[in-house]
């Protein structure tokens, strides 16, 4: 049975302060800023009792975050590398658009045993950099 979990009540809130300090001998690096979002999400989340996710404090950047998955049950759940990055806009959650064509996630089965596990989500390649706003990561867990 498929269950969905999100980082809540801990929402990822990005307050980006962009500062530039460059030396002339260093090449400039550009990260595409993604300001577009896809379809509105009408999805029930946090429907797996005893399993939650939260952002690890101090790990949020414009292209990644480390999440802590917490399993307070005696069961082991499976999940994969896939995730849905969503932004809250005017009270509605939207999936963030992809900036590349033909994206895919590696199909692996990972295990969330009782306890805690951390994972870093790097969305820069798929979604680009995020602007200031309220975001969440949604992952599916299976029994």
């Amino acid at each position: 049975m498929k269950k969905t979990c999100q980082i809540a009540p801990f929402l990822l809130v990005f307050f980006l302060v962009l500062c530039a300090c460059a030396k002339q001998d260093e090449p400039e690096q550009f990260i595409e800023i993604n300001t577009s979002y896809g379809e509105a999400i009408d999805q029930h989340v946090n429907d797996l009792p005893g399993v939650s996710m939260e952002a690890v404090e101090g790990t949020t950047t414009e292209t990644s975050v480390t999440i802590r998955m917490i399993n307070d049950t005696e069961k082991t759940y499976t999940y994969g590398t896939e995730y849905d990055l969503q932004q809250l806009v005017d009270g509605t959650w939207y999936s963030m658009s992809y900036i590349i064509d033909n994206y895919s996630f590696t199909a692996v089965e990972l295990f969330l045993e009782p306890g805690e596990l951390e994972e870093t989500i790097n969305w820069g390649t798929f979604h680009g950099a995020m602007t200031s706003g309220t975001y969440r990561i949604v992952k599916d867990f299976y029994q």
Side-chain angles (χ1 to χ4, degrees), residues 33-131:
I33 303 295
N34 188 352
T35 57
S36 65
Y37 43 85
E39 64 185 60
I41 303 300
D42 184 22
Q43 171 185 16
H44 182 70
V45 294
N46 287 340
D47 59 355
L48 186 56
V51 175
S52 61
M53 295 191 310
E54 64 187 21
V56 176
E57 188 173 339
T59 66
T60 303
T61 71
E62 60 189 8
T63 58
S64 69
V65 68
T66 299
I67 60 171
R68 180 177 298 117
M69 295 173 280
I70 304 163
N71 181 356
D72 287 331
T73 73
E74 295 180 9
K75 299 177 183 177
T76 297
Y77 295 95
T78 61
Y79 67 100
T81 58
E82 70 275 357
Y83 63 87
D84 188 19
L85 177 61
Q86 301 175 358
Q87 182 178 21
L88 185 63
V89 179
D90 296 328
T92 301
W93 288 104
Y94 292 89
S95 288
M96 294 302 298
S97 297
Y98 288 86
I99 61 171
I100 60 173
D101 293 327
N102 301 321
Y103 65 90
S104 65
F105 291 97
T106 304
V108 296
E109 182 177 42
L110 303 169
F111 297 92
L112 179 60
E113 297 178 347
E116 296 181 3
L117 182 64
E118 291 185 2
E119 175 183 333
T120 299
I121 306 289
N122 294 299
W123 60 75
T125 301
F126 290 155
H127 301 287
M130 297 297 107
T131 58

